Amino acid sequence: MDRLKELPSALVWDIFQELSSIPRASGNEAAVASWIASYASSHGCASRIDETGNVLVIAKSSEGCQNVPPLAFQAHMDMVAVRDETCRHDFSSDPLDLSIQEIDGEPFVTADGTTLGADDGIGIALALAIMTDDEIRHGPLEALFTVGEETSMAGISGFPGGMLGSKMMINIDSEADDTVTAGAAGGSDAEFSCVLECAGELKPSALKIEISGLTGGHSGIEIHCGRANAIVTLARAARRLMEKIPLELTSFDGGTFRNAIPTSAAMVLAGRDEDIRSAAAALSSIAGELASEFRETDPGIDLRWEQVKPSPSADHEQSRRIVGAFASLPDGVFSMNDEFPDTVQSSSNLGLVRTESGRIVATALMRSLVTTDPIKEIMKTHAGEYGLDLNFSGDYPCWKPSSYSPLLKIYEKVYAENCFAKPRVAVLHAGVECGILKGKYPDMDIISIGPNIIGAHTTGERVSVPSVEKIYGLLLEVLEELMDGAA
Ligand SMILES: [Zn+2]
């Protein structure tokens, strides 16, 4: 690591090495928090640890810079703890084993056998290096280092409002140095449920229909790709059958996480022997139609059916209603944003359905850059029409993007002047810490940047040395620009 001592950002690497010697898997951040607090104090900064375990560091302005508008940095202290199968690293006690790896002439810092935790240790190192370096002139600076970002976002959620004096914040937890993130969607869960009224006698036959092999994906990243949703698609197939055949619903299960586009689902339908035979015959042509409908997006789509032992089922009328509700539930992209190109504004993903103790429960995750309220209204109408109960929970606020953000303008300017190109401006459709912070500090002007990190959350994680230099330089330019603006 000695080669790093000669770089302008040498202090960043010193701090990063110190951080890497302190175990800091999610849930185990107390030691790193106290190291940061004491490092900050011994370098003339104020620091405090809040009740949740987050650290707030405050650096006074350099002499003559009191009128410069205050700026906050933000990063998370915890890291994903993954090691190679053969690696004996103990994440509760061992320091990471850092080394430099050259790939196509580009130096990267990596950790042998484990995740590196550049996500997001490098964000902390960049912020602390700038705040504690006497050579760097700046206005008032704050830095918020959170716990639990990789698991529950408990740190940022527990961080109190009214603590930060800054109206501008740079989150340093992005992983591509040519990109600046300027917004992210908020979200909310919609849970549909109903009791299956299985009062009648057992039907003589039953058919289990399974759909599988779908492409799936992350509902915050791939919702615009037009991929089939296994739950909705299976419900459509079943509804087709039930239009002509008096089948009854026994169970409906599918999906794994509410934020994943479901790739498989299964439904059991009961009926008379002749109805089950007609259903099986009709499914052959439905399978062919689905294969052709989703040829591009879901080439692996597979619809299968088999006779199974009958179990209690709801009557045909209720079965039709339930299946109809999921077959026609609005799902996927609701609207696109017109300020930022190719950016989804709002969407919903029906990610899970389960039949448990005679109840069907299904959860959709709704996302929006502005508010999920319009989707909630659509869901309420839909649930009402089909006689389903509906509950909303898990609201988290959006980080509404604005192309008029003064901080974004400053970053775009310094980026263009120093890199001779425009940064890519990204708006995420998934939840991030900035969104939760924005809920507590609605007037905060936020951007998110970071150096190139490859393979985050894997043992191949590495961070590019020149890219850290680039981000360090750009952060210094932002500080300069703020001082120029105040002069
Ligand atoms: Zn991160």
PDB file of all heavy atoms in Angstrom, residues 9 26 50 66 70 114 135 186 195 199 252 254 281 285 301 316 341 345 370 378 406 445 450 466 474 486:
ATOM      1  N   SER A   9      -4.252  12.329  -2.594  1.00  0.00           N
ATOM      2  CA  SER A   9      -5.270  11.876  -1.654  1.00  0.00           C
ATOM      3  C   SER A   9      -4.695  10.905  -0.621  1.00  0.00           C
ATOM      4  O   SER A   9      -5.416  10.082  -0.067  1.00  0.00           O
ATOM      5  CB  SER A   9      -6.389  11.176  -2.421  1.00  0.00           C
ATOM      6  OG  SER A   9      -5.852  10.060  -3.111  1.00  0.00           O
ATOM      7  N   SER A  26     -22.354  -4.915   9.352  1.00  0.00           N
ATOM      8  CA  SER A  26     -23.611  -4.317   9.789  1.00  0.00           C
ATOM      9  C   SER A  26     -23.991  -4.857  11.166  1.00  0.00           C
ATOM     10  O   SER A  26     -23.925  -6.064  11.401  1.00  0.00           O
ATOM     11  CB  SER A  26     -24.729  -4.633   8.795  1.00  0.00           C
ATOM     12  OG  SER A  26     -24.378  -4.168   7.523  1.00  0.00           O
ATOM     13  N   ASP A  50     -25.048   9.679  18.080  1.00  0.00           N
ATOM     14  CA  ASP A  50     -26.452   9.768  18.504  1.00  0.00           C
ATOM     15  C   ASP A  50     -26.931   8.439  19.084  1.00  0.00           C
ATOM     16  O   ASP A  50     -26.179   7.452  19.126  1.00  0.00           O
ATOM     17  CB  ASP A  50     -27.354  10.278  17.358  1.00  0.00           C
ATOM     18  CG  ASP A  50     -27.570   9.225  16.266  1.00  0.00           C
ATOM     19  OD1 ASP A  50     -27.235   8.047  16.479  1.00  0.00           O
ATOM     20  OD2 ASP A  50     -28.088   9.595  15.192  1.00  0.00           O
ATOM     21  N   GLN A  66     -16.302  32.116   6.933  1.00  0.00           N
ATOM     22  CA  GLN A  66     -17.510  31.941   7.747  1.00  0.00           C
ATOM     23  C   GLN A  66     -18.791  32.131   6.937  1.00  0.00           C
ATOM     24  O   GLN A  66     -19.832  31.586   7.282  1.00  0.00           O
ATOM     25  CB  GLN A  66     -17.544  32.935   8.924  1.00  0.00           C
ATOM     26  CG  GLN A  66     -16.439  32.726   9.933  1.00  0.00           C
ATOM     27  CD  GLN A  66     -15.152  33.462   9.542  1.00  0.00           C
ATOM     28  OE1 GLN A  66     -14.874  33.678   8.360  1.00  0.00           O
ATOM     29  NE2 GLN A  66     -14.364  33.836  10.532  1.00  0.00           N
ATOM     30  N   PRO A  70     -22.819  26.324   4.490  1.00  0.00           N
ATOM     31  CA  PRO A  70     -22.374  25.030   5.029  1.00  0.00           C
ATOM     32  C   PRO A  70     -22.759  23.853   4.130  1.00  0.00           C
ATOM     33  O   PRO A  70     -23.782  23.892   3.440  1.00  0.00           O
ATOM     34  CB  PRO A  70     -23.079  24.922   6.384  1.00  0.00           C
ATOM     35  CG  PRO A  70     -24.157  25.929   6.370  1.00  0.00           C
ATOM     36  CD  PRO A  70     -23.817  26.975   5.352  1.00  0.00           C
ATOM     37  N   THR A 114     -12.103 -11.388   1.120  1.00  0.00           N
ATOM     38  CA  THR A 114     -13.341 -10.822   1.699  1.00  0.00           C
ATOM     39  C   THR A 114     -13.841  -9.630   0.878  1.00  0.00           C
ATOM     40  O   THR A 114     -13.149  -9.143  -0.014  1.00  0.00           O
ATOM     41  CB  THR A 114     -13.088 -10.291   3.125  1.00  0.00           C
ATOM     42  OG1 THR A 114     -12.178  -9.175   3.032  1.00  0.00           O
ATOM     43  CG2 THR A 114     -12.512 -11.347   4.045  1.00  0.00           C
ATOM     44  N   GLU A 135      -4.634  21.979   5.387  1.00  0.00           N
ATOM     45  CA  GLU A 135      -4.237  22.636   4.138  1.00  0.00           C
ATOM     46  C   GLU A 135      -5.443  23.012   3.266  1.00  0.00           C
ATOM     47  O   GLU A 135      -5.319  23.809   2.354  1.00  0.00           O
ATOM     48  CB  GLU A 135      -3.337  21.697   3.314  1.00  0.00           C
ATOM     49  CG  GLU A 135      -2.157  21.128   4.061  1.00  0.00           C
ATOM     50  CD  GLU A 135      -1.035  22.147   4.149  1.00  0.00           C
ATOM     51  OE1 GLU A 135      -0.554  22.565   3.086  1.00  0.00           O
ATOM     52  OE2 GLU A 135      -0.660  22.517   5.294  1.00  0.00           O
ATOM     53  N   GLY A 186     -39.418   6.966  -3.523  1.00  0.00           N
ATOM     54  CA  GLY A 186     -39.896   6.501  -2.229  1.00  0.00           C
ATOM     55  C   GLY A 186     -40.795   5.299  -2.478  1.00  0.00           C
ATOM     56  O   GLY A 186     -40.986   4.877  -3.621  1.00  0.00           O
ATOM     57  N   VAL A 195     -60.308 -13.864   3.069  1.00  0.00           N
ATOM     58  CA  VAL A 195     -60.477 -15.200   3.631  1.00  0.00           C
ATOM     59  C   VAL A 195     -61.128 -16.064   2.547  1.00  0.00           C
ATOM     60  O   VAL A 195     -62.109 -15.661   1.927  1.00  0.00           O
ATOM     61  CB  VAL A 195     -61.389 -15.132   4.874  1.00  0.00           C
ATOM     62  CG1 VAL A 195     -61.694 -16.537   5.389  1.00  0.00           C
ATOM     63  CG2 VAL A 195     -60.733 -14.290   5.956  1.00  0.00           C
ATOM     64  N   ALA A 199     -66.705 -23.473   2.280  1.00  0.00           N
ATOM     65  CA  ALA A 199     -67.785 -24.103   3.052  1.00  0.00           C
ATOM     66  C   ALA A 199     -68.333 -25.367   2.380  1.00  0.00           C
ATOM     67  O   ALA A 199     -68.745 -26.306   3.049  1.00  0.00           O
ATOM     68  CB  ALA A 199     -68.911 -23.107   3.275  1.00  0.00           C
ATOM     69  N   PHE A 252     -53.091 -20.207  -3.866  1.00  0.00           N
ATOM     70  CA  PHE A 252     -52.342 -19.400  -4.830  1.00  0.00           C
ATOM     71  C   PHE A 252     -51.082 -18.929  -4.112  1.00  0.00           C
ATOM     72  O   PHE A 252     -51.163 -18.249  -3.081  1.00  0.00           O
ATOM     73  CB  PHE A 252     -53.208 -18.208  -5.267  1.00  0.00           C
ATOM     74  CG  PHE A 252     -52.659 -17.413  -6.427  1.00  0.00           C
ATOM     75  CD1 PHE A 252     -51.643 -17.906  -7.240  1.00  0.00           C
ATOM     76  CD2 PHE A 252     -53.192 -16.151  -6.728  1.00  0.00           C
ATOM     77  CE1 PHE A 252     -51.161 -17.171  -8.323  1.00  0.00           C
ATOM     78  CE2 PHE A 252     -52.715 -15.409  -7.804  1.00  0.00           C
ATOM     79  CZ  PHE A 252     -51.700 -15.917  -8.591  1.00  0.00           C
ATOM     80  N   GLY A 254     -46.822 -17.543  -4.787  1.00  0.00           N
ATOM     81  CA  GLY A 254     -45.803 -17.172  -5.762  1.00  0.00           C
ATOM     82  C   GLY A 254     -44.915 -16.054  -5.269  1.00  0.00           C
ATOM     83  O   GLY A 254     -45.244 -15.342  -4.321  1.00  0.00           O
ATOM     84  N   ALA A 281     -57.011 -29.383 -21.058  1.00  0.00           N
ATOM     85  CA  ALA A 281     -56.984 -29.231 -22.520  1.00  0.00           C
ATOM     86  C   ALA A 281     -56.804 -27.766 -22.910  1.00  0.00           C
ATOM     87  O   ALA A 281     -56.008 -27.430 -23.795  1.00  0.00           O
ATOM     88  CB  ALA A 281     -58.272 -29.789 -23.121  1.00  0.00           C
ATOM     89  N   SER A 285     -53.263 -24.497 -25.107  1.00  0.00           N
ATOM     90  CA  SER A 285     -53.225 -23.348 -26.011  1.00  0.00           C
ATOM     91  C   SER A 285     -52.851 -22.072 -25.257  1.00  0.00           C
ATOM     92  O   SER A 285     -52.136 -21.209 -25.787  1.00  0.00           O
ATOM     93  CB  SER A 285     -54.552 -23.188 -26.763  1.00  0.00           C
ATOM     94  OG  SER A 285     -55.568 -22.850 -25.857  1.00  0.00           O
ATOM     95  N   ILE A 301     -40.110 -18.882 -20.171  1.00  0.00           N
ATOM     96  CA  ILE A 301     -41.427 -19.062 -19.541  1.00  0.00           C
ATOM     97  C   ILE A 301     -41.961 -20.475 -19.771  1.00  0.00           C
ATOM     98  O   ILE A 301     -41.871 -21.021 -20.868  1.00  0.00           O
ATOM     99  CB  ILE A 301     -42.428 -17.988 -20.058  1.00  0.00           C
ATOM    100  CG1 ILE A 301     -43.725 -18.008 -19.236  1.00  0.00           C
ATOM    101  CG2 ILE A 301     -42.716 -18.160 -21.537  1.00  0.00           C
ATOM    102  CD1 ILE A 301     -44.611 -16.791 -19.496  1.00  0.00           C
ATOM    103  N   HIS A 316     -67.163 -21.042  -6.667  1.00  0.00           N
ATOM    104  CA  HIS A 316     -66.732 -20.542  -7.969  1.00  0.00           C
ATOM    105  C   HIS A 316     -66.804 -19.010  -8.039  1.00  0.00           C
ATOM    106  O   HIS A 316     -65.908 -18.363  -8.593  1.00  0.00           O
ATOM    107  CB  HIS A 316     -67.597 -21.160  -9.069  1.00  0.00           C
ATOM    108  CG  HIS A 316     -67.245 -20.670 -10.433  1.00  0.00           C
ATOM    109  ND1 HIS A 316     -66.002 -20.883 -11.006  1.00  0.00           N
ATOM    110  CD2 HIS A 316     -67.960 -19.950 -11.337  1.00  0.00           C
ATOM    111  CE1 HIS A 316     -65.976 -20.331 -12.205  1.00  0.00           C
ATOM    112  NE2 HIS A 316     -67.150 -19.756 -12.430  1.00  0.00           N
ATOM    113  N   PRO A 341     -34.697  11.996 -18.698  1.00  0.00           N
ATOM    114  CA  PRO A 341     -35.039  11.016 -19.735  1.00  0.00           C
ATOM    115  C   PRO A 341     -34.961   9.568 -19.232  1.00  0.00           C
ATOM    116  O   PRO A 341     -34.146   9.252 -18.357  1.00  0.00           O
ATOM    117  CB  PRO A 341     -33.976  11.268 -20.822  1.00  0.00           C
ATOM    118  CG  PRO A 341     -32.868  11.996 -20.149  1.00  0.00           C
ATOM    119  CD  PRO A 341     -33.456  12.719 -18.978  1.00  0.00           C
ATOM    120  N   GLN A 345     -41.188   7.210 -13.221  1.00  0.00           N
ATOM    121  CA  GLN A 345     -41.717   8.074 -12.154  1.00  0.00           C
ATOM    122  C   GLN A 345     -42.403   7.219 -11.076  1.00  0.00           C
ATOM    123  O   GLN A 345     -42.124   7.372  -9.912  1.00  0.00           O
ATOM    124  CB  GLN A 345     -42.729   9.039 -12.756  1.00  0.00           C
ATOM    125  CG  GLN A 345     -43.546   9.805 -11.739  1.00  0.00           C
ATOM    126  CD  GLN A 345     -43.156  11.263 -11.713  1.00  0.00           C
ATOM    127  OE1 GLN A 345     -42.029  11.634 -12.032  1.00  0.00           O
ATOM    128  NE2 GLN A 345     -44.074  12.093 -11.350  1.00  0.00           N
ATOM    129  N   VAL A 370     -42.327  10.985  -6.669  1.00  0.00           N
ATOM    130  CA  VAL A 370     -43.068  12.131  -6.108  1.00  0.00           C
ATOM    131  C   VAL A 370     -43.906  11.672  -4.921  1.00  0.00           C
ATOM    132  O   VAL A 370     -43.660  12.045  -3.791  1.00  0.00           O
ATOM    133  CB  VAL A 370     -43.957  12.800  -7.175  1.00  0.00           C
ATOM    134  CG1 VAL A 370     -44.615  14.044  -6.603  1.00  0.00           C
ATOM    135  CG2 VAL A 370     -43.140  13.144  -8.408  1.00  0.00           C
ATOM    136  N   ILE A 378     -55.689   4.053  -6.935  1.00  0.00           N
ATOM    137  CA  ILE A 378     -56.031   3.016  -7.925  1.00  0.00           C
ATOM    138  C   ILE A 378     -56.188   1.668  -7.219  1.00  0.00           C
ATOM    139  O   ILE A 378     -57.135   0.915  -7.469  1.00  0.00           O
ATOM    140  CB  ILE A 378     -54.938   2.948  -9.020  1.00  0.00           C
ATOM    141  CG1 ILE A 378     -54.921   4.264  -9.824  1.00  0.00           C
ATOM    142  CG2 ILE A 378     -55.143   1.746  -9.932  1.00  0.00           C
ATOM    143  CD1 ILE A 378     -53.732   4.402 -10.760  1.00  0.00           C
ATOM    144  N   PRO A 406     -29.319  23.650  -6.995  1.00  0.00           N
ATOM    145  CA  PRO A 406     -28.079  24.443  -7.082  1.00  0.00           C
ATOM    146  C   PRO A 406     -26.832  23.577  -6.906  1.00  0.00           C
ATOM    147  O   PRO A 406     -25.830  23.797  -7.588  1.00  0.00           O
ATOM    148  CB  PRO A 406     -28.209  25.447  -5.929  1.00  0.00           C
ATOM    149  CG  PRO A 406     -29.668  25.524  -5.629  1.00  0.00           C
ATOM    150  CD  PRO A 406     -30.235  24.179  -5.960  1.00  0.00           C
ATOM    151  N   ASP A 445     -30.734  20.056  -0.173  1.00  0.00           N
ATOM    152  CA  ASP A 445     -30.377  19.878  -1.585  1.00  0.00           C
ATOM    153  C   ASP A 445     -29.299  18.787  -1.623  1.00  0.00           C
ATOM    154  O   ASP A 445     -28.207  18.980  -1.093  1.00  0.00           O
ATOM    155  CB  ASP A 445     -29.848  21.222  -2.106  1.00  0.00           C
ATOM    156  CG  ASP A 445     -29.488  21.194  -3.577  1.00  0.00           C
ATOM    157  OD1 ASP A 445     -29.709  20.167  -4.238  1.00  0.00           O
ATOM    158  OD2 ASP A 445     -28.977  22.226  -4.071  1.00  0.00           O
ATOM    159  N   GLY A 450     -19.512   9.082  -6.059  1.00  0.00           N
ATOM    160  CA  GLY A 450     -18.568   8.130  -5.466  1.00  0.00           C
ATOM    161  C   GLY A 450     -17.628   7.610  -6.530  1.00  0.00           C
ATOM    162  O   GLY A 450     -17.899   7.719  -7.730  1.00  0.00           O
ATOM    163  N   PRO A 466      -7.203   5.657  -9.220  1.00  0.00           N
ATOM    164  CA  PRO A 466      -7.359   6.936  -9.918  1.00  0.00           C
ATOM    165  C   PRO A 466      -8.772   7.514  -9.788  1.00  0.00           C
ATOM    166  O   PRO A 466      -8.950   8.739  -9.810  1.00  0.00           O
ATOM    167  CB  PRO A 466      -7.032   6.613 -11.385  1.00  0.00           C
ATOM    168  CG  PRO A 466      -6.899   5.145 -11.488  1.00  0.00           C
ATOM    169  CD  PRO A 466      -6.720   4.585 -10.115  1.00  0.00           C
ATOM    170  N   LEU A 474     -12.678  16.415  -7.298  1.00  0.00           N
ATOM    171  CA  LEU A 474     -13.965  17.052  -7.585  1.00  0.00           C
ATOM    172  C   LEU A 474     -14.595  17.628  -6.312  1.00  0.00           C
ATOM    173  O   LEU A 474     -15.168  18.721  -6.327  1.00  0.00           O
ATOM    174  CB  LEU A 474     -14.919  16.055  -8.249  1.00  0.00           C
ATOM    175  CG  LEU A 474     -14.600  15.732  -9.713  1.00  0.00           C
ATOM    176  CD1 LEU A 474     -15.381  14.502 -10.176  1.00  0.00           C
ATOM    177  CD2 LEU A 474     -14.913  16.928 -10.622  1.00  0.00           C
ATOM    178  N   ALA A 486     -19.513  32.666  -2.436  1.00  0.00           N
ATOM    179  CA  ALA A 486     -19.778  33.478  -1.237  1.00  0.00           C
ATOM    180  C   ALA A 486     -18.918  34.740  -1.207  1.00  0.00           C
ATOM    181  O   ALA A 486     -19.205  35.666  -0.452  1.00  0.00           O
ATOM    182  CB  ALA A 486     -19.506  32.646   0.014  1.00  0.00           C
TER     183      ALA A 486
END
